[in-house]
Each structure stands twice: as C-alpha cells, then as structure tokens.
Amino acid sequence: SVASGQNREGAREEEDLAAGRLEMAVEFLKVELAGGAKGTKEVMREAYGLGIAGRTLERARRVVGVRCWVEEGRWGMGRRGE
C-alpha cells in the first residue's frame, strides 16, 4: 500500500539521519581527543554545542574505543591505553 511504502521511506530517511549523526560524533571524538584525554564535562559541553546528543555521543564513544574514568574526583575521557 501507499501508506506502508511511505512508512518504509520515512524509516530509511531516519536511519540515514542517525548514521550521519553518528559519523559526525565519531569524527568529533577523534578530533577532540587527538591530543590526549580531556575532562568528560568539557567534551560533553563541546558535543552538545555542536548538536550531538548524549546517546549519540555514547554510541560514538564505543565505536572509537573511548573510555571514561574517575580520577581524583574528576571524570576523564580518552582512548583506550591512555
């Protein structure tokens, strides 16, 4: 039917948008952490400023291999092995 075809097309467009947002978040983390670990709040503030949502940033973090930790009461974020 026409309605189900429109639903499939809408779902495909949403998947494409989600993939683009994830790609943007992955690239953001790679650039943001290229010089080493940074404070989690700082990274999140920058991401939110670019319109990257928290869940998207979390998915990108897993793709890139970024880990979070607490050290001396502060959250940190960096790539594995740092």
Side-chain angles (χ1 to χ4, degrees):
S1 77
V2 173
S4 65
Q6 289 173 340
N7 287 341
R8 282 194 301 270
E9 185 63 31
R12 230 178 280 127
E13 288 175 7
E14 184 61 32
E15 288 173 11
D16 289 346
L17 287 172
R21 289 189 295 259
L22 180 58
E23 285 179 31
M24 178 180 164
V26 165
E27 190 61 30
F28 164 77
L29 283 177
K30 287 179 179 178
V31 170
E32 190 69 16
L33 301 174
K38 290 189 172 184
T40 301
K41 286 182 181 180
E42 177 185 353
V43 173
M44 292 176 76
R45 186 172 37 250
E46 291 291 325
Y48 294 158
L50 293 172
I52 299 171
R55 288 188 61 128
T56 304
L57 189 61
E58 179 63 27
R59 286 193 303 274
R61 188 178 69 79
R62 289 193 302 269
V63 168
V64 176
V66 169
R67 63 185 183 93
C68 295
W69 64 89
V70 177
E71 186 175 295
E72 297 178 11
R74 292 193 56 204
W75 281 90
M77 185 180 279
R79 293 195 179 183
R80 290 186 183 126
E82 283 188 355

